[in-house]
Amino acid sequence: MPHLAPPLLLLGGAAANMFSPKPYYGLPLLACTSMVAGMSYSFRSSALFALAAGAVTAGAAWYTGREGAALVSDVIAVLVVSLVGLWVKWLVDQQGRNLAVALTVAEAAQRAVLPAPPTGIGPLTVADRYVAAQVGAAIGGDLYALQETPFGIRALIGDVRGKGLPAVSAVSVAVGAFREAAEHTPTLHDLAGRLDRALDREGERRRGTEDDIEGFVTALLVQIPPSGETVTVLNRGHPPPYLLHDGIVTCLEPTHPELPLSTGLESPNGAPVEETFPFAPDDSLVLVTDGVTEARNAEGEFFDVQRGLGRIGPCRADELADALVKAVTEWTGGQRQDDLAVLVLTRGE
């Protein structure tokens, strides 16, 4: 419909000039034709509408018998306003191009902090989805990483306290520490300790500066051997993962809940416990952040992840990730309440 507005303004302006009591009543409609065209058409097309508005003005003035000076003044008035409209169109287009470049650079920089994991690694098919709470941002305070190591396939999903761009600094530290330490630490407990110390050091280094990173980080560490037969999980205060096996969804709640990373507090249960579960062919492990588990509907009710995954049923990793994000979006009515991240690991045959 917006594309029809400029032609209709031309017709309306011509009719008003020719048939209204005064022969210049249609000038406002003709004058704004190019400005309205700039909302839907290219600059060149808008310029053609400006010329058409001038021609229609001249034709209508001649048809109604306007004197030469009046005819010229009508045409000049319409063309001046049209030129202003074209100037505004040029400015908007220029700003749009600059914004597109800035967004492309910003997204590339953000994705350098949080690279997309591979779609397949070892016996696993992988899918990831990320919806930042801050509109226009590619990432926020949620994080995940996945890589093959001498100890098996290791994955991390976490959530920095806070959301949006201010939390990206902590995300970069956690992901960078994971990628380096995952190659050298023999246990998930040791790996969590390396992440803990890295976050603490960076927090001390930046304390009191403009780049002061956010506080604690919840984290879930996963290890899968090359055979893919088991899943070992270490939970540091993060929402538990969900295991899909033969259409049954199991929430892998930790036996001993632990504190998040970088709290500065001792664990109440001693050394965090790693728990191992069977992982059969076609099973899927779904890792989520609290943007999923704490999503609320209009009545303030939390999204039931276990029930939501049960309704999706068995499917490919990418389909499962898409369906879960869609279910959460429908539950919240499309509102971005918090950063949301989903990482799906599906074992092949």
Side-chain angles (χ1 to χ4, degrees):
M1 288 301 294
H3 285 75
L4 296 178
L8 291 176
L9 287 172
L10 283 176
L11 293 174
N17 269 4
M18 289 188 292
F19 304 114
S20 62
K22 298 289 185 179
Y24 48 80
Y25 275 13
L27 294 184
L29 298 178
L30 295 168
C32 67
T33 298
S34 68
M35 190 172 296
V36 174
M39 300 170 60
S40 305
Y41 291 86
S42 66
F43 182 87
R44 179 176 297 180
S45 297
S46 300
L48 292 176
F49 273 110
L51 294 175
V56 169
T57 301
W62 174 83
Y63 177 81
T64 56
R66 295 273 282 169
E67 297 179 357
L71 186 153
V72 172
S73 65
D74 288 352
V75 173
I76 290 176
V78 168
L79 290 179
V80 167
V81 176
S82 297
L83 288 174
V84 172
L86 291 174
W87 177 65
V88 171
K89 169 68 174 173
W90 180 83
L91 288 178
V92 171
D93 287 351
Q94 187 70 23
Q95 291 176 349
R97 287 189 289 269
N98 292 340
L99 179 60
V101 171
L103 289 176
T104 300
V105 172
E107 184 170 353
Q110 291 174 68
R111 277 304 176 187
V113 172
L114 190 70
T119 56
I121 182 170
L124 305 179
T125 302
V126 181
D128 69 299
R129 299 294 182 269
Y130 202 119
V131 180
Q134 185 167 331
V135 177
I139 65 173
D142 289 355
L143 59 102
Y144 48 72
L146 178 73
Q147 67 188 69
E148 202 162 10
T149 75
F151 312 100
I153 299 166
R154 284 179 167 177
L156 162 71
I157 190 167
D159 185 1
V160 176
R161 183 183 66 84
K163 60 185 178 181
L165 294 178
V168 174
S169 293
V171 169
S172 65
V173 173
V175 172
F178 171 81
R179 293 199 173 280
E180 191 278 330
E183 297 286 335
H184 307 291
T185 49
T187 68
L188 294 182
H189 171 64
D190 294 334
L191 177 55
R194 294 279 291 271
L195 298 180
D196 210 351
R197 292 190 290 275
L199 287 165
D200 285 345
R201 285 195 305 269
E202 194 66 19
E204 287 294 331
R205 187 178 298 119
R206 301 192 187 189
R207 186 154 292 132
T209 69
E210 292 182 357
D211 296 327
D212 192 356
I213 66 173
E214 296 285 327
F216 62 83
V217 179
T218 67
L220 182 72
L221 293 164
V222 174
Q223 181 169 299
I224 299 173
S227 65
E229 295 178 349
T230 60
V231 171
T232 300
V233 177
L234 177 63
N235 196 322
R236 293 293 300 269
H238 194 78
Y242 296 84
L243 180 64
L244 281 67
H245 172 73
D246 287 341
I248 300 174
V249 182
T250 304
C251 180
L252 304 183
E253 291 278 3
T255 305
H256 302 287
E258 296 294 338
L259 295 173
L261 302 173
S262 194
T263 59
L265 302 174
E266 294 292 332
S267 170
N269 301 312
V273 178
E274 301 176 10
E275 300 179 81
T276 301
F277 306 91
F279 198 44
D282 296 325
D283 283 3
S284 291
L285 187 71
V286 181
L287 315 179
V288 300
T289 59
D290 61 6
V292 175
T293 59
E294 296 182 5
R296 296 173 181 261
N297 62 11
E299 288 72 39
E301 299 171 330
F302 288 115
F303 178 73
D304 190 327
V305 185
Q306 194 164 355
R307 179 181 298 178
L309 288 172
R311 289 174 176 171
I312 296 171
C315 56
R316 298 198 317 261
D318 57 342
E319 295 173 339
L320 183 57
D322 285 335
L324 180 56
V325 172
K326 180 181 178 182
V328 173
T329 302
E330 291 175 349
W331 183 261
T332 63
Q335 295 182 0
R336 296 189 179 191
Q337 301 169 345
D338 196 358
D339 298 320
L340 179 157
V342 174
L343 185 63
V344 179
L345 310 176
T346 300
R347 183 188 166 189
E349 293 289 344

